[in-house]
Structure formats: structure tokens, C-alpha cells
């Protein structure tokens, strides 16, 4: 996780701005190389906040520049990325180095949006406790990351707003002991590395209130492995929207069979997202007003909302983000934008439906290469999606390799990702999720 003193990597390349000005680190102008976010969900499946993961450059070197340069980098990164915008105004969790905490670098971040994570590698001495007390007075919240109890951490336990526990690095006995030590303190317990529905149930049973991990992306497959009957019509609509040209009569008839989908579709067409000139009151009218391509897009979005079912809304948000990112990247890679958008959306359909990808892929009239990409084959069509999946887990090295293979400039990825995040947030608002 990288943001100057918030765990950084060094890029030795520097620039000079105006004549006579001091050299400025390249990152101060270009911003961070990568930024990704990982959701933190509550018991209801709603997003409580995001952990932001950063990478500043290609080298795995610790950042050791002077404090002023580091502060400029943090300030610039905050402006370039609009960190609170990346989290939709929800709390942003960031790992902090000792220098960032002790030197006050974190104070450039908005306290109302920021949760500072204290790494388990820090020494909980008097100086650190004093710095944390000052940050608390300024309105920052503190989280103890990968926490395992030891007596030296007691003063920081008294200051903590969150405690993050790694499911894979602790035992049930350790977690039970921690809960007892917390007692009545108003601390939110957060379980990390919750990757399966079984992990989630265990964390809930142990009294955790927040969860981090991609458990909501892991499909719980139904025994009969068939697509539910109430979802077949939605897949049929999605398939019909892929036809060229659109069959207006058939799609209108299909959409009308699903009142909820009709509502979503008309709501989206009439939202600021699509800026229609007059109120649209029928499916056929929507098609005639906005044209095949936009109608195809709106249908895909509305259908995805319905296919989500009872899964957390973050699953749908991630599907929209994937679709938009793949579409934006298609302009650079030379691939079909609509096809790439669909690939991103469909990549999470098994988690929405609880069925294998094989069932989804064979139900849609896709080109064979796209179908193979959905099934996990590492072909040209899947390249950008594979890059984004690595990006979501902060596997930066693989991101580099995949970006080069796909013909993407690594420096363009933050902007593409930021645009996709904002578009996904706007779309979620338009569909009322």
C-alpha cells in the first residue's frame, strides 16, 4: 500500500518544472502508478469503507526522500486521485509507516474520511502512542492491522477504533481471547481474508461485524447446476440485446415479462446518466429515442441489476467497474468495446447466479473466443480482464506484465481505473442500489 510515507516505492527519475525551480520527484507530477480499492462489508452486505492500495513506481525500493518531498507527493496524489472520491465518501483505510505517523505526513489527508492502519511491524512505544493520541484529537480513526494481542499494545488498544484480524494467521482461541480483552470498548472487529461463504459464516459466528475479502465473488454452486427459471428470461433479454440489429418487438416483449426489469430500465433511461430530452414511458419509445447501442447498454445494466439477486451490492458495483474498465481499455487495445464491456460484466455472473461459468457462457450467443475468455482461457480477449483482476488484488508485478502484453501504457492505468470507479458509482446511483 503506497502513498509517500504510507509505504512507498522509489522512482529515481526526476523533473524540473519552471526555470530556477527545485527538482520535483516525477511522482509529484504524474501521481501514483497504481491505485486499487478493496471493499470492507458489514453484516448486511453493505460497504462500510474501502482499503486503498497504492503503488508509486516500478522499483521495489523503500522511499527515503526528505519529508517535504514526501508531503508534496502525498498532497499531489490526493489531488490527482481524489482519494475520498475513490471511496464514494466512505471511510478509506490506509496502511501507515512509522515515518508517516510520527512525521505528521498523514495530516494532509481528510480526517473525516481517513482510517489510519497501524502495521503489526510497528513498535508500540511511548512516542508512537503520543503521535496516535494527537491524530485522534484531530479526528482521525485508528485501526490495528493484522492484530495479535501482546501486553505492549494495550495503550494503542485503548485508542483503536478498529481491529483487523487475519483469519489465516490467528486461531479461534486467539480471537476469543482478543474479544475478551476488548470488553466493552467501542471497537469494531474486522476479519480479513474472508474469501469464501464458509469463512464469512465463521467470522459472523465469532462476533465480527466487518469483513474484508472477496467472499461475495465466490459462487455457491447449486447442486443441480441449472440456471434458476426466474433468471432465464433475464439471460434471454441479455442474449437478445447482443443481436445486430436489435429486434425491437422481441426485446420489448421480453422486458415486459419482468416488471422489476421494466422499472429499472425506464428509471435508468430517464436518469441524468443518459440525458434523454423527454420523459421515456415505454420500452419501445426508449429504443427509438436513444438508438440501438445505448439501448443495448442500458439493457445490459438493468439486466445485471436483476441478475444480482440477493448478493451484496458491491458485487454489482464491481461488475460495473470491470465492464467499464474493459470498455475504456478497448479504445487502446483495438478490441470491440461493447464485447469487452460485456466480458467484464459477465465475469461475475456465476457469483450472482450461483451457477458455473459453463452454464452462463453456453446460454449467450457469444463469439467462441469471448466464450473461451469467460471460461478462463488466457487469450487476447481476456487480457484486460485478467489485468484488472490482478489489479484488484494489488498484484502489481503481474499488472505490469499484462499491461505490456495488452499494449497498454502502465501510466494510463490509474486514470482508466479512476474513470471506471466514478462511472460505476454514478451507475449504482442511477439504478437505486
Amino acid at each position: 500500500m503506497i502513498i509517500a510515507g504510507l509505504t512507498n516505492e522509489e522512482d529515481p527519475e526526476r523533473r524540473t518544472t519552471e526555470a530556477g525551480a527545485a527538482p520535483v520527484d516525477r511522482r509529484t507530477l504524474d501521481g501514483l502508478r497504481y491505485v486499487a480499492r478493496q471493499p470492507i462489508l458489514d453484516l448486511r452486505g453493505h460497504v462500510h469503507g474501502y482499503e486503498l492500495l497504492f503503488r508509486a513506481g516500478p522499483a521495489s525500493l523503500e522511499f527515503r526522500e526528505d519529508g517535504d518531498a514526501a508531503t508534496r507527493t502525498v498532497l499531489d496524489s490526493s489531488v490527482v486521485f481524489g482519494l475520498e472520491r475513490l471511496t464514494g465518501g466512505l471511510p478509506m483505510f490506509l496502511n501507515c509507516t512509522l515515518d508517516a505517523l510520527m512525521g505528521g505526513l498523514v495530516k494532509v489527508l481528510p480526517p473525516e474520511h481517513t482510517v489510519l492502519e497501524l502495521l503489526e511491524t510497528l513498535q508500540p512505544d511511548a512516542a508512537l502512542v503520543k503521535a496516535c493520541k494527537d491524530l485522534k484529537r484531530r479526528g482521525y480513526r485508528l485501526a490495528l492491522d493484522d492484530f495479535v494481542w501482546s501486553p505492549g499494545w494495550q495503550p494503542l488498544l485503548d485508542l483503536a477504533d478498529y481491529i483487523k484480524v487475519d483469519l489465516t494467521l490467528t486461531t479461534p482461541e486467539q480471537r476469543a481471547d482478543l474479544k475478551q480483552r476488548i470488553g466493552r470498548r467501542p471497537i469494531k472487529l474486522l476479519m480479513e481474508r474472508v474469501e469464501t461463504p464458509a469463512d464469512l459464516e465463521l467470522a459472523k459466528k465469532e462476533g465480527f461485524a466487518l469483513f474484508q475479502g472477496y467472499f461475495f465473488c465466490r459462487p455457491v454452486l447449486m447442486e443441480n447446476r441449472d440456471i434458476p427459471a426466474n433468471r432465464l428470461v433475464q439471460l434471454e433479454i441479455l442474449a437478445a440485446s447482443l443481436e445486430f440489429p436489435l429486434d425491437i418487438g422481441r426485446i420489448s416483449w421480453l422486458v415486459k415479462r419482468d416488471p422489476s426489469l421494466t422499472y429499472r430500465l425506464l428509471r435508468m433511461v430517464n436518469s441524468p446518466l443518459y440525458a434523454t430530452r423527454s420523459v421515456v414511458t415505454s420500452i419501445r419509445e426508449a429504443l427509438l429515442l436513444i438508438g440501438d447501442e445505448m439501448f443495448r447498454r442500458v439493457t445490459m445494466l438493468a439486466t445485471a441489476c436483476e441478475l444480482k439477486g440477493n448478493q451484496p451490492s458491491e458485487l454489482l458495483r464491481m461488475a460495473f467497474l470491470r465492464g467499464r474498465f474493459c470498455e475504456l481499455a478497448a479504445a487502446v487495445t483495438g478490441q470491440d468495446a461493447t464485447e469487452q464491456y460485456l466480458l467484464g460484466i459477465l465475469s461475475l455472473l456465476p457469483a450472482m447466479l450461483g451457477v458455473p461459468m459453463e452454464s452462463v457462457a453456453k446460454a449467450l450467443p457469444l463469439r467462441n473466443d469471448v466464450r473461451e475468455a469467460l471460461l478462463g482461457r488466457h487469450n487476447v480477449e481476456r487480457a484486460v480482464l485478467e489485468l484488472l483482476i490482478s489489479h484488484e488484488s494489488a498484484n502489481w508485478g503481474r499488472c505490469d506484465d499484462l499491461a505490456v502484453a495488452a499494449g497498454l501504457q502502465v501510466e494510463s492505468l490509474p486514470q482508466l481505473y479512476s474513470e471506471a470507479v466514478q462511472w460505476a458509482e454514478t451507475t449504482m446511483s442511477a439504478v437505486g442500489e
Side-chain angles (χ1 to χ4, degrees):
M1 303 168 204
I2 298 126
I3 183 166
L6 309 177
T7 309
N8 227 319
E9 298 172 356
E10 188 175 38
D11 183 346
E13 185 172 352
R14 300 171 67 86
R15 296 180 185 169
T16 300
T17 53
E18 299 177 2
V24 178
D25 187 277
R26 176 174 179 172
R27 287 162 302 172
T28 307
L29 298 177
D30 291 345
L32 298 168
R33 181 63 60 88
Y34 290 113
V35 58
R37 65 181 195 177
Q38 292 184 355
I40 295 168
L41 305 189
D42 63 19
L43 288 166
R44 296 174 297 171
H46 297 164
V47 181
H48 176 80
Y50 291 94
E51 179 168 359
L52 297 186
L53 309 174
F54 296 99
R55 177 188 169 186
S60 298
L61 301 173
E62 184 181 353
F63 185 52
R64 298 183 183 277
E65 294 192 56
D66 64 90
D68 288 340
T71 300
R72 289 197 302 272
T73 303
V74 175
L75 282 167
D76 180 70
S77 300
S78 299
V79 172
V80 169
F81 286 98
L83 300 185
E84 64 275 13
R85 292 181 61 205
L86 283 177
T87 65
L90 296 172
M92 52 181 174
F93 290 67
L94 301 108
N95 274 9
C96 299
T97 63
L98 182 63
D99 288 344
L101 294 166
M102 301 294 291
L105 297 178
V106 296
K107 294 175 185 176
V108 302
L109 300 171
E112 66 274 16
H113 294 296
T114 306
V115 180
L116 305 173
E117 296 190 15
L118 278 63
L119 301 175
E120 71 279 9
T121 54
L122 297 177
Q123 294 299 317
D125 55 24
L128 179 59
V129 172
K130 181 181 178 181
C132 288
K133 285 182 178 179
D134 175 63
L135 291 166
K136 287 279 288 186
R137 282 193 296 269
R138 294 173 182 270
Y140 292 95
R141 284 164 285 179
L142 302 178
L144 307 182
D145 190 31
D146 287 345
F147 188 72
V148 178
W149 164 256
S150 66
W153 282 91
Q154 182 63 49
L156 289 169
L157 186 68
D158 294 334
L159 297 174
D161 299 280
Y162 300 87
I163 290 181
K164 302 181 73 175
V165 178
D166 190 320
L167 175 63
T168 64
L169 298 178
T170 55
T171 66
E173 293 75 21
Q174 287 175 314
R175 297 191 292 269
D177 178 68
L178 175 60
K179 279 198 66 182
Q180 186 175 9
R181 293 182 184 279
I182 290 173
R184 295 183 178 275
R185 293 181 181 85
I187 296 174
K188 295 182 176 67
L189 279 174
L190 190 162
M191 181 76 85
E192 296 183 280
R193 297 189 186 275
V194 180
E195 299 297 331
T196 68
D199 291 343
L200 177 62
E201 290 307 311
L202 175 62
K204 287 180 177 179
K205 184 178 179 181
E206 293 187 1
F208 284 77
L210 298 172
F211 316 96
Q212 185 173 351
Y214 289 116
F215 60 91
F216 55 88
C217 292
R218 309 278 178 157
V220 180
L221 301 181
M222 299 177 300
E223 291 185 5
N224 60 14
R225 294 181 175 266
D226 288 331
I227 297 174
N230 65 329
R231 300 301 184 205
L232 286 174
V233 66
Q234 290 152 3
L235 283 180
E236 195 174 353
I237 293 167
L238 191 58
S241 72
L242 298 178
E243 296 175 358
F244 292 86
L246 291 176
D247 185 332
I248 299 174
R250 180 165 178 258
I251 289 184
S252 297
W253 177 76
L254 285 170
V255 172
K256 288 176 182 177
R257 290 172 59 189
D258 191 324
S260 179
L261 182 58
T262 299
Y263 167 77
R264 287 188 183 276
L265 194 59
L266 292 178
R267 176 172 176 167
M268 292 181 67
V269 170
N270 287 291
S271 74
L273 193 66
Y274 294 96
T276 52
R277 294 182 179 180
S278 59
V279 176
V280 181
T281 59
S282 74
I283 303 302
R284 180 178 289 272
E285 183 183 1
L287 181 56
L288 294 175
L289 274 174
I290 64 179
D292 282 17
E293 191 55 40
M294 187 175 287
F295 184 83
R296 185 175 285 112
R297 168 63 54 78
V298 176
T299 301
M300 287 181 186
L301 291 175
T303 305
C305 293
E306 286 300 296
L307 291 170
K308 175 181 74 72
N310 296 321
Q311 296 294 331
S313 292
E314 184 61 21
L315 182 64
L316 184 59
R317 182 179 284 104
M318 183 177 288
F320 287 162
L321 194 160
R322 283 187 179 185
R324 182 61 171 164
F325 184 92
C326 291
E327 178 187 36
L328 291 171
V332 180
T333 62
Q335 295 173 303
D336 182 271
T338 299
E339 201 171 66
Q340 281 294 301
Y341 174 84
L342 183 63
L343 183 63
I345 289 281
L346 294 181
S347 66
L348 290 171
L349 216 53
M352 297 180 188
L353 296 177
V355 297
M357 183 60 83
E358 288 82 357
S359 298
V360 174
K362 73 180 182 182
L364 297 172
L366 303 168
R367 285 197 305 114
N368 187 60
D369 286 341
V370 177
R371 182 175 288 105
E372 290 295 317
L374 274 176
L375 293 172
R377 179 185 172 189
H378 299 291
N379 57 12
V380 172
E381 283 73 14
R382 188 178 172 84
V384 173
L385 175 61
E386 197 72 37
L387 183 158
L388 184 56
I389 291 172
S390 297
H391 184 278
E392 290 168 354
S393 60
N395 188 346
W396 307 133
R398 182 158 172 74
C399 279
D400 282 342
D401 295 339
L402 291 170
V404 171
L408 287 168
Q409 293 292 323
V410 174
E411 291 80 2
S412 70
L413 298 182
Q415 184 62 35
L416 292 179
Y417 186 75
S418 180
E419 288 183 25
V421 167
Q422 294 305 310
W423 187 87
E425 293 295 341
T426 303
T427 303
M428 292 293 286
S429 297
V431 300
E433 289 290 338

